Amino acid sequence: MTNSQSVPMMLQKNTTLGEFIIENQSEFRYSSGELSRLINSIRLAAKVVNHEVNKAGLVDILGTAGDTNVQGEDQQKLDVYANNAFIKTLTNREIVCGIASEEEDNFITIKGRNEQNDNKYVVLIDPLDGSSNIDVNVSVGTIFSIYRRITEPGTPVTLEDFLQPGKNQVAAGYIIYGTSTMIVYTTGHGVNGFTLNPAIGTYYLSHPNMKFPEDGKIYSVNEGNYVHFPQGVKDYIKYCQKEEGDRPYTSRYIGSLVSDFHRNMIKGGIYIYPNTAKDPNGKLRLLYECNPMALIAEQAGGKASNGFQRILDIQPTELHQRTPFICGSKHMVEKAEGFMQQHKPS
Ligand code: AHG
Ligand code: MN
Ligand code: MN
């Protein structure tokens, strides 16, 4: 590029994630250093998991004896490995008072300095999203969601601290272990994406201020379940397929929420995981998957709904609660909601 004036400021100096966190920490309305340290520990865990995901295909070749690795430890499934890596990295940093994970039945309490319950943040994670794709070398991800505790610091963290509506999130993001590894996150001031340079282990700001196009031409849904979908979703899918105007749209479904969402945010599209008669609340988890993705979507100008209500307004009642999920480009989600309204259950 010859005209340096036309290069955005941040790109001109190859901003790293570490620099970006420090430069932007004053935007955070609470103690800025704490959130920075928290994002930093997620960045570190993501590198560890990335390393393991990247050599997943080698496990059988490198493993010495059945399911035991060279250190004599049991080889773990990658989702268990990722779960442990994130929990370990988030513990002992005197910031997090509790972690809830898709892989754990109950939340974990974390004590801070001098065994006190002084830490202020709870983290909720889906350590490995799209895990059915690992064996076939298709992108997987990690999703994280951060809240400030509601209960007083100094007391043990409680379930109430985790059961907050998504609009209370102070930060949320995902890591995508794809053709390249990226961290995409928001602290409520837009969405930024950082790509890992694996040669030096540094994330660079590659996607500043990410925005969902308001309209898109991609719909992502597991159409194998079509006959079980609610009528509103069936009608919307037929609308997507109809030859009219800029339709038919293209169908793209990886089966890994992080990857489907990431593609749709860049290209414009809608992701739908509806309820069915068998699964009246759908499949996806409100706290570990839908809330963080919904915050990112809204911060990027998109929308997220259960068909009738904004995802971020839902008051959770249990840790592993599920919800139908419609998320993506604003006008597409509004159109789908319109079809849902026509068949609203009484
Ligand atoms: P996880 O691997 O964390 O259990 O999540 C899988 C989720 C989500 O990532 C994906 O979009 C969806 O399940 C796919 O479900 P289907 O195989 O039913 O389409
Ligand atoms: Mn998942
Ligand atoms: Mn998972």
Side-chain angles (χ1 to χ4, degrees), residues 107-148:
F107 67 82
I108 299 165
T109 303
I110 297 172
K111 295 218 169 150
R113 198 187 303 254
N114 302 327
E115 289 291 293
Q116 299 299 303
N117 293 291
D118 289 334
N119 300 346
K120 298 192 193 77
Y121 294 90
V122 294
V123 179
L124 298 95
I125 47 169
D126 176 355
L128 208 71
D129 172 69
S131 40
S132 68
N133 282 319
I134 289 167
D135 293 345
V136 290
N137 213 347
V138 171
S139 303
V140 292
T142 295
I143 309 172
F144 62 90
S145 165
I146 303 172
Y147 296 82
R148 252 176 104 84

Side-chain angles (χ1 to χ4, degrees), residues 4-236:
S4 66
Q5 292 296 314
S6 63
V7 181
M9 208 34 209
M10 294 208 211
L11 291 180
Q12 271 187 37
K13 56 187 184 97
N14 292 329
T15 306
T16 66
L17 175 54
E19 288 166 344
F20 184 89
I21 290 170
I22 292 165
E23 280 168 22
N24 291 280
Q25 65 182 8
S26 59
E27 280 182 344
F28 191 60
R29 64 192 148 117
Y30 305 107
S31 161
S32 48
E34 285 177 340
L35 188 75
S36 299
R37 285 194 351 255
L38 189 41
I39 305 280
N40 259 325
S41 55
I42 287 171
R43 168 179 73 156
L44 180 63
K47 273 190 217 173
V48 173
V49 174
N50 177 60
H51 181 69
E52 204 64 18
V53 167
N54 269 299
K55 62 183 172 73
L58 290 170
V59 165
D60 287 340
I61 300 167
L62 299 180
T64 50
D67 59 355
T68 306
N69 70 13
V70 279
Q71 280 86 38
E73 300 157 335
D74 285 343
Q75 270 168 8
Q76 293 167 332
K77 285 177 66 184
L78 265 179
D79 37 16
V80 177
Y81 181 92
N83 187 47
N84 293 342
F86 275 91
I87 291 172
K88 203 167 156 188
T89 317
L90 290 167
T91 310
N92 300 328
R93 281 190 155 70
E94 291 165 12
I95 313 157
V96 178
C97 56
I99 301 175
S101 162
E102 194 192 70
E103 298 293 332
E104 305 279 342
D105 291 342
N106 298 308
F107 67 82
I108 299 165
T109 303
I110 297 172
K111 295 218 169 150
R113 198 187 303 254
N114 302 327
E115 289 291 293
Q116 299 299 303
N117 293 291
D118 289 334
N119 300 346
K120 298 192 193 77
Y121 294 90
V122 294
V123 179
L124 298 95
I125 47 169
D126 176 355
L128 208 71
D129 172 69
S131 40
S132 68
N133 282 319
I134 289 167
D135 293 345
V136 290
N137 213 347
V138 171
S139 303
V140 292
T142 295
I143 309 172
F144 62 90
S145 165
I146 303 172
Y147 296 82
R148 252 176 104 84
R149 65 185 298 177
I150 297 175
T151 51
E152 276 301 309
T155 61
V157 69
T158 69
L159 184 59
E160 191 193 348
D161 294 311
F162 296 92
L163 299 184
Q164 301 189 48
K167 62 186 171 198
N168 287 6
Q169 289 170 104
V170 294
Y174 60 82
I175 297 118
I176 180 165
Y177 312 100
T179 39
S180 54
T181 294
M182 283 188 72
I183 291 188
V184 174
Y185 80 99
T186 180
T187 55
H189 300 274
V191 179
N192 292 284
F194 301 81
T195 303
L196 178 67
N197 178 345
I200 51 174
T202 303
Y203 292 93
Y204 288 96
L205 179 62
S206 52
H207 296 63
N209 198 18
M210 296 178 84
K211 291 282 173 214
F212 255 104
E214 287 200 329
D215 294 289
K217 295 193 69 176
I218 296 171
Y219 71 102
S220 313
V221 61
N222 186 342
E223 278 185 83
N225 300 325
Y226 182 86
V227 293
H228 304 292
F229 287 164
Q231 193 56 45
V233 173
K234 285 182 176 169
D235 290 352
Y236 180 68

